[in-house]
Amino acid sequence: MAVPSPGYSLTLRVETPATITATSELAAAVGKAGGAITALDVTESGHDHMVVDVSCNTTDAAHGDLIRDALNALEGVTVRNVSDRTFLMHLGGKLEVVPKVALRNRDDLSRAYTPGVARVCLAIAENPAAARNLTIKRNTIAVVTDGSAVLGLGNIGPAAALPVMEGKAALFKQFANVDAWPVCLDTQDTEEIIMIVKALAPVYGGVNLEDIAAPRCFEIEARLREELDIPVFHDDQHGTAIVTLAALTNALLVVGKQIDKIKIVVSGVGAAGNAIIQLLAARGANNIIACGRNGAISSADVSPDAHRNWLAENTNPEQFTGTLKEAVVGADVFIGVSAPNILDEADIAAMNKDAIVFAMANPDPEVDPAAAGRHAAIVATGRSDFPNQINNVLAFPGFFRGLLDAGVSDITDSMLLAAADAIAARVSQDELNPGFIIPSVFDPHVASDVAEAVAHAAAKNK
């Protein structure tokens, strides 16, 4: 299933004889070794030699070594250097602070800083609400993590989580012009995290919780929502739920089914799984089976985890008690936010006619998408190298843009549903097909449509 990915992109600086076929021979060698050429650039040329930068996507580090060896094996060819383009992108970090005001002379300085700034400080001291208009607060959010559940990498800690949080902040700016900053906390104590975020809150207009392990993430989010006057959004929960519902809305249109008439099986009962199930229920789904490591959750399951108890009480109406593989038999929809390769082709073949499979574990899905596609009507993943990528980038930038524009602190189901509908609507009826059920993250209208929908829902709630 592994295919070349931009995540393992290399540039190999190669010295080669100056022949008319030199570049084509380099490209052929890369292709034969399974790489995907993205660029060939001649950087130096002499009477008898050339230096060519060969950029290509690979499947992993070992594959990169294989391609290097294939080029070195060509007659007269030497690989001078290999650069990992992903690491190069991260050198020095992905963010910087740029002033919005000019500081050209003493006059500018006197207004931006002392003595003029003191007047602004006193105005905020007299009226704290003025900070929203007179500081960065109205357009700035904190991207907060403790590094305990980073991507599919697990508990790798705050320093190792920083590249992800930088990327998240960059996406906020790129897609919705929201200024965001990574806040990676060197503690995994629930009370300490809550205390620190509350202490930092005066700077920010909102908090995006990210990659915090369940079940602690539930309490942290609930407490912060209760104790802060700014919106708190857990993207791993609600961002995932929004884009999943958007994709499912369009997928059901393609296969001609209704959400209140289908059987849905969800693998994964952590943050994402819980939020997906609750939002599907809010939209009208009434036959959902939630499966954890030990199989289906039913009303017989009692847990100290309130969210797991909610699943036990509000899902699985027929009280099915089998395994995940048994649960998907006859199911209309499978949604995976769990672990790689837990289903196989035979499992998908056992689903209902015109089945929908969302295998969203990253980087390796719950089932091979190619195998699933031989039986399911629609297959979606979290990956960019297959059709129908279900990606949170479609949700969180515009969602926060709408929250900040509306100046609200509460996040409601009506906002989540409105955001999902806005994303789904970006795919017109004329465009809709099994390979295109959800818009590209680069659709320039997604974030603004989501922001408008969230702001409108917020206004109705006031």
Side-chain angles (χ1 to χ4, degrees):
M1 185 179 66
V3 296
S5 164
Y8 288 98
S9 181
L10 304 177
T11 295
L12 301 97
R13 178 153 289 184
V14 180
E15 183 175 328
T16 180
T19 65
I20 195 169
T21 60
T23 54
S24 62
E25 289 171 359
L26 294 176
V30 171
K32 187 175 180 180
I37 289 278
T38 57
L40 281 170
D41 301 294
V42 177
T43 62
E44 180 183 322
S45 182
H47 291 299
D48 59 355
H49 78 282
M50 293 190 301
V51 176
V52 183
D53 279 352
V54 181
S55 297
C56 63
N57 294 338
T58 69
T59 59
D60 53 28
H63 188 204
D65 293 340
L66 182 68
I67 290 172
R68 179 200 60 206
D69 293 343
L71 292 176
N72 274 326
L74 295 175
E75 185 176 354
V77 170
T78 302
V79 177
R80 288 185 177 179
N81 185 59
V82 180
S83 299
D84 187 314
R85 298 177 67 209
T86 298
F87 275 81
L88 288 175
M89 177 181 278
H90 287 76
L91 282 178
K94 302 186 290 291
L95 303 173
E96 64 179 356
V97 176
V98 178
K100 293 171 63 178
V101 297
L103 297 174
R104 300 159 298 190
N105 49 46
R106 291 165 61 90
D107 182 66
D108 290 342
L109 189 61
S110 294
R111 285 181 288 116
Y113 198 53
T114 186
V117 72
R119 297 179 53 229
V120 181
C121 294
L122 291 173
I124 295 171
E126 184 176 341
N127 176 23
R132 176 172 165 80
N133 291 325
L134 295 175
T135 70
I136 62 173
K137 185 179 181 72
R138 69 180 299 166
N139 196 55
T140 304
I141 65 165
V143 182
V144 177
T145 188
D146 64 357
S148 60
V150 181
L151 300 177
L153 306 175
N155 188 356
I156 61 175
L162 181 54
V164 177
M165 304 311 126
E166 284 186 10
K168 200 87 174 186
L171 295 171
F172 270 113
K173 187 65 176 179
Q174 178 71 27
F175 292 108
N177 196 31
V178 172
D179 295 317
W181 196 254
V183 180
C184 299
L185 304 179
D186 192 13
T187 177
Q188 295 183 357
D189 178 88
T190 296
E191 293 300 327
E192 285 189 353
I193 292 172
I194 293 169
M195 177 189 69
I196 292 168
V197 175
K198 287 173 62 178
L200 292 171
V203 178
Y204 298 100
V207 174
N208 183 89
L209 299 175
E210 190 75 20
D211 292 348
I212 300 174
R216 286 184 301 106
C217 61
F218 300 127
E219 181 179 357
I220 291 168
E221 180 195 21
R223 289 269 303 280
L224 288 175
R225 283 191 175 188
E226 181 181 341
E227 298 176 28
L228 290 177
D229 61 354
I230 57 177
V232 179
F233 182 81
H234 188 196
D235 185 49
D236 298 320
Q237 292 185 67
H238 306 300
T240 305
I242 289 168
V243 292
T244 301
L245 176 57
L248 183 59
T249 298
N250 283 341
L252 291 174
L253 289 175
V254 172
V255 300
K257 297 182 181 181
Q258 297 178 334
I259 197 167
D260 61 343
K261 302 288 196 303
I262 59 172
K263 174 185 174 183
I264 302 171
V265 175
V266 178
S267 174
V269 293
N274 267 272
I276 289 170
I277 291 168
Q278 292 192 35
L279 195 60
L280 293 179
R283 177 43 57 88
N286 53 37
N287 186 5
I288 304 173
I289 298 177
C291 292
R293 291 185 179 89
N294 299 318
I297 294 175
S298 69
S299 59
D301 292 292
V302 179
S303 168
D305 179 354
H307 288 79
R308 197 177 180 96
N309 282 337
W310 186 94
L311 294 177
E313 294 169 4
N314 292 277
T315 64
N316 198 357
E318 297 179 3
Q319 298 302 297
F320 172 80
T321 58
T323 65
L324 171 65
K325 284 176 171 285
E326 293 169 333
V328 298
V329 175
D332 297 281
V333 176
F334 168 76
I335 297 173
V337 280
S338 52
N341 304 314
I342 55 176
L343 296 178
D344 56 32
E345 183 174 346
D347 297 318
I348 307 305
M351 293 178 69
N352 202 0
K353 182 182 177 182
D354 293 328
I356 297 167
V357 173
F358 291 176
M360 298 188 289
N362 256 322
D364 296 319
E366 284 82 358
V367 61
D368 183 338
R374 287 193 279 271
H375 305 280
I378 296 173
V379 177
T381 71
R383 295 174 59 127
S384 60
D385 48 3
F386 290 101
N388 300 324
Q389 183 189 20
I390 298 177
N391 192 319
N392 288 19
V393 179
L394 288 164
F396 67 81
F399 198 92
F400 255 105
R401 176 77 277 153
L403 292 173
L404 293 171
D405 290 348
V408 296
S409 58
D410 292 333
I411 296 174
T412 64
D413 280 351
S414 62
M415 295 179 190
L416 303 176
L417 293 169
D421 289 341
I423 294 169
R426 287 305 309 162
V427 181
S428 71
Q429 294 296 310
D430 292 337
E431 296 174 305
L432 200 58
N433 64 63
F436 187 49
I437 59 170
I438 196 162
S440 163
V441 296
F442 295 104
D443 183 328
H445 302 289
V446 170
S448 58
D449 286 1
V450 170
E452 183 178 347
V454 170
H456 181 69
K460 289 176 65 176
N461 290 335
K462 285 185 177 180

